[in-house]
Amino acid sequence: LAAPGPWLLALSFACYSGQWLAVVGFLPTVYRQAGVDPALTGVLTALAAAANIVGNVGSGRLLHGGWAAPRLLAIGFATMALGSALAFVDLGQPAALRYGAVLVFSMVGGVIPGTLFALVVRAAPGEHTLSSTVGWMQQWSAFGQFAGPPAVAWLASAMGGWQYTWAATGASALLGLWLVTRIARLLA
């Protein structure tokens, strides 16, 4: 617990999981309130969740291809912030563009978990702490999943709609980007 590496990875995972589950987990509610057919809502939500797999698998391929882990993390968090803003801030954009932003949010954000798991070997204090570092990351991922959606739901309730979802997810992404700067220093 005194080593910074496990904390940085774990808190980064919480920043990712909280915002991902808040956006993808509430898609059925958002679409139902927008009058989207329930069958189509299910398909759209499933596709948004499946898009995340592309980023998960892609992170390994990109890391193997020489991409720096902090760069992938930064791209993931920045894309999640921009994707959420484009999806939820009403600028008069068509529904298809908003949904496309959700797909990009999920797909590119998906590089974050794979990259964090790959970093465990470098950020754990020693070989004997690899499994506990993975466990610590998973616990904080669960915390993000526990805290993120209720925070976004509270915000939506307080503001009378989902239009400020981007503020909560953006704050999480900004914290994630700050953590990436710390991870980059740790790895240097």
Side-chain angles (χ1 to χ4, degrees), residues 16-43:
Y16 159 80
S17 67
Q19 65 178 309
W20 188 86
L21 192 58
V23 170
V24 176
F26 282 127
L27 280 182
T29 303
V30 171
Y31 290 153
R32 185 183 74 234
Q33 290 176 352
V36 176
D37 177 76
L40 180 58
T41 293
V43 170

Side-chain angles (χ1 to χ4, degrees), residues 14-31 45 80 84 88 102 105 141 143-156 162 164-170 172:
C15 289
Y16 159 80
S17 67
Q19 65 178 309
W20 188 86
L21 192 58
V23 170
V24 176
F26 282 127
L27 280 182
T29 303
V30 171
Y31 290 153
T45 302
M80 290 181 88
S84 180
F88 290 99
V102 169
F105 166 92
S141 173
F143 177 77
Q145 293 172 40
F146 172 77
V152 169
W154 173 84
L155 183 62
W162 299 99
Y164 290 103
T165 297
W166 67 271
T169 58
S172 186

Side-chain angles (χ1 to χ4, degrees), residues 108-164:
V108 178
V111 302
I112 295 170
T115 303
L116 290 173
F117 278 110
L119 285 176
V120 167
V121 176
R122 295 177 61 197
E127 188 175 308
H128 63 285
T129 61
L130 292 175
S131 60
S132 57
T133 300
V134 169
W136 193 240
M137 274 186 8
Q138 290 175 324
Q139 289 301 313
W140 280 90
S141 173
F143 177 77
Q145 293 172 40
F146 172 77
V152 169
W154 173 84
L155 183 62
S157 177
M159 296 300 173
W162 299 99
Q163 68 274 15
Y164 290 103

Side-chain angles (χ1 to χ4, degrees), residues 63 66-77 111 115 177 180 184:
L63 288 167
W67 284 60
R71 181 178 182 196
L72 285 178
L73 292 171
I75 289 169
F77 281 120
V111 302
T115 303
L177 285 168
V180 169

Side-chain angles (χ1 to χ4, degrees), residues 38-65:
L40 180 58
T41 293
V43 170
L44 294 174
T45 302
L47 287 174
N52 195 254
I53 297 168
V54 175
N56 296 161
V57 173
S59 65
R61 297 185 71 73
L62 291 169
L63 288 167
H64 184 71

